[in-house]
Amino acid sequence: MLDLTPKEITERTALRINPAKTCQPVGAMYAALGVHRCMPHSHGSQGCCSYHRTFLTRHFKDPAIASSSSFTEGASVFGGGSNLKTAVRNIFDIYKPDIIAVHTTCLSETIGDDVGAFIQDMDIEEGKYVVHCHTPSYVGSHITGYGNMIAGFIKYLSRSTGRKHDRLNIIPGFVNPGDMREIKRILDLMGIPFIMLPDTSGVLDAPMLGRYTMYPPGGTRIDDIIAMGDSPLTLALGELACEDPANELKRKCGVDYKLLPLPMGIGATDQFIMALSNFSGHEVPYALEEERGQLIDILLDSHPYFHGKSVAIYGDPDTVLGITGLVLEMGMIPKYVITGTPGEAFTEKAQELFSKFGVTGCTAKAFSDLFELHQWIKNDRVDLLIGGSYGKQIAKAEDIPLVRAGFPILDRYVHSYMPLVGYRGAMRLVEMILNALMDRQDRDCADEDLELVM
Amino acid sequence: MKAQSLLLEERQGFIHQKGSCGSVSIQCDTESLSGAVSQRACVYCGARVVLNPITDAFHIVHGPIGCASYTWDIRGSLSSGAEWYRNSFSTDLSEQDVIFGGEKKLWEALSEVTRVHSPRVIFVYATCIVGVIGDDVRAVCKRAEEKFGIPVIPVMSPGFAGHKSVGYRMACNALMELLSRAPKAPKRGGSVNILGDFNLAGEMWIIKNYLEEMGVKVVARITGDATCEELMHAGEAALNVVQCAGSMTYLAKRMEEAMGIPWIKVSFFGIEDTSQSLIHIAQALGDREAEKKARELIARETRALEPVLCRSRELLGGKKAAIYVGGGFKAISLIKQFREIGMETVVVGTQTGRKEDYDIINSLVREGTVVLDDANPAELEYFIREKQADVLVGGVKERPLAYKLGVAFLDHNHERRHPLAGFVGVRNFVKELQLSVNSPVWQYVR
């Protein structure tokens, strides 16, 4: 009964059904939570803030703190300047953050609030900061908002003093705290000092210690964001989410950047590690070689179970491309690859991957939705789905196993603590894919075919 | 930390400690402060949660994608039939639409829906920017209704127009608009509509079964597991029973005015409220036979619950509860329910409670209990600690807060999968409480 999707595909130009994206502000809120002692602030109606906090809480199973300008009829007519002023005063008074990161909403953008000017007019105590970015909900997606907020921090805070230090800047794509931890672990293994913005590890995967702190110990330090302007290089990990902030830093402070795909799968992780090695001049340590070797060993051991299987992948652009890369390395066929986020660059990059691995008959589409994906699957099915929780309706209707990876995952636990990036993240994803396919084989086979040793 | 240093001066009026002053004078039902980390939602949210459970409706959100994506299939409102309401439809407005207006896109979207599907009714939600960019949603809906021959009802729910309660009202207006299209039909004696139950985890079914056992016919369920067809008959009921008073009192009043249907408030949370409500319904209908059957039902169910309650008092008695829920009526029932198993409520707050709710709450709780309106996490944290609550009852945003504080949690929000209404709800209530309060994991925390 959940299935109202007709097989026959008709043209849709106006109606969005079952989206594979959400709006910019939630991405901005997530990025702001990755700065230490930062209060994300939503300049709009209080519903936005409430929804975004709820959405993040559902995925991370952790409190997501943020404040709102609580727009009223008056604010929507006369502008939200006084709301923001009052809000900033109240936030510093009661919640005592070191920094407030304001993002806009469709409402404050449409009525034309000049948030930058509002902030300039404020008296802000020494040592405290207020930054902002524009996140109109009707442009891009939460991924755009994530990049915009990072660029906002850089724009307000990063400074070039002319005295370079040796720390490498890392801008991770829209990934889980578990991924950010893994990226940091790899940097440590490579012996490279770094600044990572944002860093939600230690914030949205905070441990239970029997007390609640509004500002958990994690998050990028403000001093470090300032110091990003003196870094020798930025690595932006996520070709579609991270270019704008990296570019902002280059424009403002002259820090060069290298744009890399999210380090998911063998090739993309190799690329990341080689970039680190090139930067530092250090050899790749055995520990990482060992992990890579283990990953390949696992793939060889288990390849009969996934080779040639077809898969549909949906979610955020960089993550979907990363997973697509990995499944291609595994010899799977990424038959449908979609994101809700607009932008043809996604489709082009997916096509590049298809041709690199010589697969044909695969479709990639940006600005798509899960209704459309479901229709494709109805016409020509796949063996596996990979993406967030919203795919579970398709999985159920079509009886296709689903591997949960990406954002949002609302119906499972632990995912946000664990990585998908790096060799170890790839091992994890391979394990999930194998378990899904092999559990299905066990479930579906005849009694006499049930194998103990696989 | 002292309460004074933690709490905004402007917020003091919204927090009340029983016994700290003579009479109750809590401030409520006002806008949240700018800058507050409020747990509250907006007008759109209020409207959406009320209308969403109508199972064969198409809910089209006219606005940028966020409002549609955050409300996609997140309520545990169950359906016995259609599942259309569990999909997300929107116009996904882009920058072009914001500049040139979104009416054309809305029209297209309505055409596309009706071309492929056969909706019985379409609700079109006007979100924050729709009015600002000058879209005449009403006009588009009217034109669509004429062209497609089905009710196309605008729901005027820009987020900034107030808080969630305003949204409830907007949803009720939309329902009245739908009902106004129903042909006149004679009243059905001894029958009721159930207002303000959303069939979370099948609660509407539980209530309906009780009423049917009493011989009371349920005409329309508003809105849990409702269909468009069923709603159209709502005018034929002899009585409206209002469960979620916060969202539906307004509709009851409007239906009384327009259709002459009297209404009563009920609550099906806890033994005391469930029992009283069933008898109250029979009495309001003047149905002696139904009252007799209600008393039999209550006696039977209460007897069956005795061992459950007895055991719960052993396991949970003396523990302290904190409550932070949406509406006042739920908080009131919860206080009574905790009392039934020997638990004391030490903190109680609501997002949208009214003065009269807070009066009742204050009459129910003991000296020293903290009562708060529109609380933020910092306040909740402070008072949960100060009053040493063992369990917090709340919704999705409160859950991780409770856990981080080392406090057990009971979900009383719209995502729960355990029915808490009726006598069976009491069973689930204590079961869920026990599961959380007595989880072995707590011993590793403290």
Side-chain angles (χ1 to χ4, degrees):
Chain A
M1 280 308 293
L2 259 176
D3 185 10
L4 92 160
T5 312
K7 188 174 171 188
E8 192 197 337
I9 299 170
T10 45
E11 204 201 350
R12 272 185 295 137
T13 57
L15 188 64
R16 174 71 61 211
I17 315 178
N18 299 349
K21 63 164 178 179
T22 183
C23 67
Q24 279 209 52
V26 78
M29 190 179 281
Y30 180 54
L33 286 164
V35 171
H36 187 56
R37 295 191 60 79
C38 176
M39 177 66 83
H41 181 82
S42 165
H43 187 54
S45 304
Q46 64 182 3
C48 304
C49 185
S50 170
Y51 276 137
H52 303 148
R53 290 178 56 210
T54 304
F55 201 62
L56 293 174
T57 292
R58 287 191 171 114
H59 176 84
F60 295 104
K61 325 290 183 196
D62 253 357
I65 200 84
S67 54
S68 166
S69 287
S70 308
F71 266 44
T72 56
E73 296 265 13
S76 75
V77 176
F78 303 112
S82 70
N83 288 56
L84 188 61
K85 215 172 141 188
T86 313
V88 165
R89 199 191 63 227
N90 283 339
I91 294 163
F92 279 130
D93 275 357
I94 181 167
Y95 306 114
K96 301 185 172 46
D98 291 341
I99 180 168
I100 298 171
V102 182
H103 61 262
T104 58
T105 56
C106 52
L107 178 59
S108 53
E109 287 289 337
T110 308
I111 64 173
D113 269 3
D114 188 348
V115 174
F118 297 160
I119 292 173
Q120 273 187 341
D121 283 346
M122 288 173 189
D123 288 323
I124 299 160
E125 200 185 315
E126 184 69 27
K128 302 274 180 183
Y129 300 88
V130 180
V131 305
H132 93 282
C133 72
H134 292 282
T135 49
S137 319
Y138 44 78
V139 176
S141 75
H142 58 296
I143 297 301
T144 326
Y146 177 77
N148 283 342
M149 189 73 252
I150 302 170
F153 281 112
I154 290 168
K155 200 167 170 179
Y156 272 85
L157 300 173
S158 301
R159 292 273 173 278
S160 165
T161 62
R163 282 202 313 274
K164 290 270 179 199
H165 54 70
D166 65 347
R167 287 188 288 167
L168 173 67
N169 290 332
I170 299 283
I171 301 178
F174 192 102
V175 289
N176 279 316
D179 294 303
M180 300 203 186
R181 266 179 209 279
E182 180 64 9
I183 292 168
K184 291 197 290 187
R185 192 185 67 90
I186 292 171
L187 284 154
D188 287 341
L189 280 173
M190 291 292 296
I192 297 175
F194 61 90
I195 299 170
M196 185 157 94
L197 173 72
D199 180 2
T200 56
S201 67
V203 180
L204 285 163
D205 62 355
M208 164 74 207
L209 297 171
R211 57 180 179 271
Y212 169 72
T213 38
M214 193 168 253
Y215 309 105
T220 316
R221 286 353 197 217
I222 293 169
D223 286 348
D224 286 341
I225 305 176
I226 296 170
M228 283 175 84
D230 288 330
S231 287
L233 179 72
T234 301
L235 289 189
L237 307 178
E239 293 169 296
L240 301 176
C242 302
E243 179 149 30
D244 283 352
N247 203 22
E248 177 66 36
L249 190 62
K250 183 179 167 65
R251 199 189 52 75
K252 192 179 172 200
C253 303
V255 180
D256 274 332
Y257 67 89
K258 202 168 157 57
L259 196 57
L260 294 173
L262 265 180
M264 296 175 82
I266 305 165
T269 305
D270 287 351
Q271 237 183 305
F272 173 50
I273 286 171
M274 288 322 292
L276 294 180
S277 176
N278 287 337
F279 169 75
S280 66
H282 300 167
E283 292 270 309
V284 178
Y286 176 70
L288 284 169
E289 274 183 40
E290 187 181 44
E291 286 172 16
R292 186 179 193 278
Q294 286 174 325
L295 169 62
I296 291 166
D297 193 64
I298 289 168
L299 291 176
L300 284 174
D301 290 342
S302 56
H303 72 272
Y305 294 99
F306 50 70
H307 189 188
K309 299 276 188 195
S310 61
V311 52
I313 308 164
Y314 57 90
D316 299 333
D318 289 319
T319 308
V320 169
L321 290 172
I323 297 171
T324 304
L326 174 66
V327 303
L328 282 165
E329 287 163 349
M330 295 167 74
M332 297 175 76
I333 311 295
K335 196 157 162 172
Y336 309 121
V337 172
I338 69 144
T339 181
T341 299
E344 275 318 293
F346 169 82
T347 321
E348 286 157 21
K349 297 212 175 287
Q351 293 295 350
E352 280 168 27
L353 282 170
F354 297 159
S355 29
K356 184 176 157 200
F357 287 86
V359 293
T360 51
C362 296
T363 309
K365 193 172 174 192
F367 205 42
S368 178
D369 56 39
L370 292 182
F371 185 84
E372 181 168 50
L373 177 64
H374 195 173
Q375 289 191 307
W376 293 346
I377 289 171
K378 274 194 182 297
N379 285 282
D380 197 358
R381 65 184 276 125
V382 288
D383 300 311
L384 184 69
L385 288 164
I386 304 179
S389 296
Y390 286 122
K392 82 189 281 185
Q393 291 189 357
I394 303 177
K396 179 116 176 140
E398 305 303 327
D399 194 23
I400 298 172
L402 165 63
V403 165
R404 285 168 181 77
F407 179 86
I409 296 174
L410 314 168
D411 62 338
R412 288 295 186 273
Y413 292 83
V414 193
H415 52 268
S416 59
Y417 293 80
M418 309 298 273
L420 293 174
V421 300
Y423 303 123
R424 293 182 67 89
M427 278 183 223
R428 179 170 168 255
L429 193 50
V430 170
E431 186 186 16
M432 292 195 289
I433 290 172
L434 277 167
N435 285 347
L437 292 171
M438 294 170 84
D439 281 349
R440 181 56 59 118
Q441 188 178 325
D442 285 346
R443 192 197 80 175
D444 291 349
C445 73
D447 282 4
E448 59 270 32
D449 293 331
L450 187 70
E451 293 179 66
L452 180 69
V453 183
M454 293 170 88
Chain B
M1 202 184 328
K2 274 195 167 157
Q4 270 65 26
S5 68
L6 184 111
L7 307 173
L8 275 180
E9 215 172 281
E10 290 92 327
R11 287 274 314 145
Q12 301 282 0
F14 296 84
I15 299 164
H16 176 79
Q17 187 149 356
K18 185 169 176 182
S20 62
C21 56
S23 67
V24 196
S25 57
I26 193 164
Q27 268 175 275
C28 57
D29 212 8
T30 60
E31 303 304 334
S32 297
L33 282 177
S34 289
V37 181
S38 169
Q39 308 292 76
R40 266 183 185 173
C42 65
V43 179
Y44 163 72
C45 176
R48 185 68 200 264
V49 296
V50 167
L51 296 174
N52 196 59
I54 304 171
T55 59
D56 60 353
F58 277 61
H59 302 270
I60 299 184
V61 183
H62 186 38
I65 194 66
C67 300
S69 73
Y70 303 122
T71 49
W72 176 14
D73 199 21
I74 55 161
R75 279 177 74 91
S77 303
L78 304 189
S79 166
S80 55
E83 303 270 9
W84 285 346
Y85 70 118
R86 296 186 61 183
N87 289 275
S88 165
F89 297 92
S90 83
T91 49
D92 190 6
L93 291 183
S94 68
E95 194 158 24
Q96 288 296 304
D97 306 317
V98 172
I99 296 165
F100 299 110
E103 283 181 26
K104 197 164 154 265
K105 198 166 191 187
L106 176 59
W107 175 257
E108 276 303 310
L110 288 165
S111 315
E112 286 169 14
V113 160
T114 45
R115 204 179 302 142
V116 179
H117 309 285
S118 336
R120 313 301 290 269
V121 55
I122 299 174
F123 291 103
V124 177
Y125 298 78
T127 59
C128 276
I129 61 167
V130 165
V132 180
I133 64 176
D135 282 4
D136 189 345
V137 173
R138 268 185 195 288
V140 177
C141 289
K142 187 158 181 278
R143 194 150 59 90
E145 177 150 351
E146 280 158 13
K147 171 147 187 212
F148 305 120
I150 47 157
V152 181
I153 315 273
V155 186
M156 308 316 276
S157 50
F160 57 81
H163 55 71
K164 213 167 163 183
S165 307
V166 178
Y168 298 152
R169 225 156 35 233
M170 296 303 151
C172 292
N173 287 339
L175 283 169
M176 281 306 285
E177 250 193 91
L178 179 66
L179 298 188
S180 72
R181 286 154 174 76
K184 261 232 163 315
K187 287 264 182 279
R188 291 193 248 173
S191 66
V192 299
N193 295 320
I194 301 171
L195 274 62
D197 186 280
F198 304 108
N199 202 33
L200 304 180
E203 289 175 345
M204 178 63 92
W205 299 332
I206 294 169
I207 300 169
K208 189 171 176 238
N209 285 343
Y210 292 154
L211 293 178
E212 276 174 357
E213 189 181 329
M214 290 159 53
V216 174
K217 172 108 182 77
V218 177
V219 180
R221 296 161 300 170
I222 306 175
T223 54
D225 194 29
T227 60
C228 179
E229 168 71 20
E230 178 181 329
L231 291 172
M232 292 301 229
H233 289 286
E236 297 158 28
L239 178 71
N240 277 337
V241 299
V242 182
Q243 152 99 329
C244 177
S247 64
M248 286 287 180
T249 304
Y250 174 74
L251 182 69
K253 285 181 179 163
R254 285 204 59 186
M255 286 176 78
E256 185 173 36
E257 243 167 62
M259 305 162 184
I261 305 176
W263 59 279
I264 55 169
K265 274 191 201 180
V266 293
S267 166
F268 290 99
F269 294 121
I271 299 176
E272 188 184 334
D273 282 2
T274 303
S275 305
Q276 276 177 5
S277 296
L278 293 176
I279 291 171
H280 197 177
I281 291 169
Q283 287 172 343
L285 289 168
D287 187 337
R288 290 255 167 105
E289 185 57 26
E291 187 177 339
K292 190 173 144 262
K293 284 185 184 153
R295 288 190 192 280
E296 283 163 16
L297 188 162
I298 293 162
R300 183 189 72 218
E301 296 292 333
T302 314
R303 220 171 18 245
L305 278 174
E306 262 161 28
V308 178
L309 291 179
C310 221
R311 179 98 183 103
S312 307
R313 282 185 207 111
E314 276 167 35
L315 288 165
L316 297 163
K319 304 259 185 205
K320 294 174 186 162
I323 298 170
Y324 191 72
V325 290
F329 95 105
K330 210 191 263 177
I332 292 166
S333 287
L334 276 165
I335 297 168
K336 293 185 197 166
Q337 246 183 307
F338 280 120
R339 217 165 45 186
E340 280 166 0
I341 51 171
M343 284 179 66
E344 192 196 334
T345 302
V346 290
V347 179
V348 51
T350 81
Q351 288 177 45
T352 56
R354 292 153 203 274
K355 170 98 174 53
E356 58 266 30
D357 300 326
Y358 285 111
D359 287 343
I360 299 172
I361 287 170
N362 211 55
S363 71
L364 286 173
V365 296
R366 287 198 208 165
E367 295 272 304
T369 296
V370 173
V371 184
L372 1 90
D373 181 67
D374 185 24
N376 60 53
E379 291 165 359
L380 283 177
E381 181 203 356
Y382 178 82
F383 289 114
I384 286 172
R385 268 181 195 294
E386 195 200 59
K387 296 289 163 190
Q388 295 178 318
D390 297 293
V391 60
L392 172 68
V393 187
V396 61
K397 287 191 294 286
E398 288 79 48
R399 181 196 293 270
L401 176 71
Y403 293 158
K404 283 283 188 283
L405 287 171
V407 168
F409 182 79
L410 178 89
D411 193 342
H412 211 303
N413 203 15
H414 44 222
E415 301 162 335
R416 65 190 140 90
R417 287 291 164 189
H418 42 270
L420 295 175
F423 299 103
V424 64
V426 174
R427 233 173 251 276
N428 291 321
F429 180 75
V430 294
K431 185 174 150 214
E432 292 292 322
L433 268 179
Q434 271 163 221
L435 280 180
S436 189
V437 173
N438 296 323
S439 161
V441 182
W442 294 120
Q443 65 187 300
Y444 303 103
V445 173
R446 287 156 185 156

